Amino acid sequence: MTVALMWEARAVEGRGPDLLAWARSRQLSPAPLRRETFSAPQDRVLVITWWDAPYDAPLPELPEPGEGLARRAVHRWRFESVAEGT
C-alpha cells in the first residue's frame, strides 16, 4: 500500500524563503519512496512524502519549524492510495 504524508506550514510574514530552506534541509530516516516540496502565496510550504507502508504505520515526519519561523502550528494529513475505478 502507498501512503502519502502531507506537511503544510505558513511562515511568519516575509520568512517564506527561510521556511522553504528549513523544510528542504530536513532529512527523514528512513528516506521516503518519493518527496516533493511546494511553495505557495502567503509564505506557505507544503511537503508530500510517499511511503510503501500500511496506513497506520509509524513513519518519520517533518517536525514543527524552529521558533519564530512558522505563523501557526503545522497542518498534517495522511492519505492512502486508491486504485483507479475504486
Side-chain angles (χ1 to χ4, degrees), residues 24-36:
R24 294 178 80 183
S25 72
R26 302 280 81 80
Q27 299 299 312
L28 297 172
S29 183
L33 296 172
R34 180 175 163 193
R35 176 177 173 163
E36 288 192 56

Side-chain angles (χ1 to χ4, degrees), residues 13-61:
E13 188 172 339
R15 301 233 21 223
D18 298 328
L19 179 60
L20 179 60
W22 179 91
R24 294 178 80 183
S25 72
R26 302 280 81 80
Q27 299 299 312
L28 297 172
S29 183
L33 296 172
R34 180 175 163 193
R35 176 177 173 163
E36 288 192 56
T37 304
F38 302 85
S39 63
Q42 299 179 342
D43 294 320
R44 294 179 191 275
V45 174
L46 172 67
V47 179
I48 305 174
T49 56
W50 285 263
W51 306 86
D52 182 17
Y55 182 82
D56 57 353
L59 298 168
E61 296 189 53

